[in-house]
Amino acid sequence: MAKVAVVFHSGYGHTQRMAQSVADGAGAELVAIDADGNVSDGGWATLHAADAIIMGSPTYMGSVSWQFKKFADASSKPWFSLAWKDKVFAGFTNSATMNGDKHSTLHYLFTLAMQQGGIWAGTALMPANSKAAQRNDVNYVGSFAGAMAQSPSDASAAEMLPGDLETARLLGQRVAEVAAKFRG
């Protein structure tokens, strides 16, 4: 079984709920980026030991949070020695609006993974885009690049839709399966 880590920042709890769903699907360990943009020494050790790293950030102003960016900048140390080369990577994000420029956040995560020499795994989930589709369907937001969720700005994390959380869980499951294939 592949070792999977989920590294994430969450400002209001929505991305943390997604991270938990991703981790549930992958059998992964959570690595939280704190409010100051830091990861504990144990968190860095978990990331180094992982076969796969799934990254998550809320989408703020069309990109990752500054706390996630601080983590990304700090990942230049493993980058310099190619310590994360050939790990499987994936990403997820949440924003208040249906589009919310979430793809820009996923592209940021993808670029970081590519800089680390990683292998990206998308959702491999068909979008819920028929007339019969309901907002609570899996992959309703319709992303192949990574899991996307939408939470109204006045909704608590507890009010997140089960369909968005299931999309996140399925992403975690896929990454664990892909990473296991690479382990041989």
Side-chain angles (χ1 to χ4, degrees):
M1 187 169 183
K3 292 181 192 173
V4 181
V6 178
V7 62
F8 71 97
H9 171 255
S10 184
Y12 300 99
H14 301 87
T15 309
Q16 182 175 358
R17 280 207 68 203
M18 282 188 81
Q20 186 60 60
S21 292
V22 170
D24 290 347
E29 188 171 341
L30 292 172
V31 176
I33 300 168
D34 70 20
D36 295 320
N38 299 312
V39 170
S40 70
D41 290 342
W44 284 107
T46 297
L47 294 169
H48 293 316
D51 299 306
I53 299 173
I54 307 172
M55 303 177 287
S57 172
T59 296
Y60 293 159
M61 304 305 292
S63 191
V64 297
S65 65
W66 72 263
Q67 292 91 339
F68 190 93
K69 177 69 166 87
K70 183 177 175 183
F71 158 77
D73 289 349
S75 78
S76 64
K77 189 171 184 178
W79 166 82
F80 187 75
S81 63
L82 294 174
W84 294 353
K85 182 181 177 185
D86 295 335
K87 290 182 187 285
V88 175
F89 283 84
F92 61 95
T93 190
N94 179 74
S95 72
T97 57
M98 189 56 72
N99 178 318
D101 295 320
K102 287 185 271 290
H103 240 12
S104 295
T105 299
L106 290 177
H107 285 175
Y108 180 94
L109 300 176
F110 170 80
T111 301
L112 178 59
M114 295 302 96
Q115 290 172 335
Q116 293 288 351
I119 300 158
W120 190 261
T123 63
L125 296 171
M126 294 304 293
N129 61 5
S130 69
K131 288 194 300 186
Q134 301 292 312
R135 174 60 189 95
N136 199 36
D137 288 346
V138 168
N139 204 19
Y140 182 85
V141 182
S143 175
F144 295 103
M148 291 184 183
Q150 183 268 328
S151 302
S153 61
D154 58 350
S156 71
E159 296 175 277
M160 289 184 74
L161 292 174
D164 286 350
L165 297 172
E166 179 64 4
T167 302
R169 188 192 71 75
L170 290 169
L171 174 67
Q173 181 179 320
R174 172 165 163 71
V175 170
E177 290 168 356
V178 169
K181 289 179 182 179
F182 276 94
R183 286 195 78 202

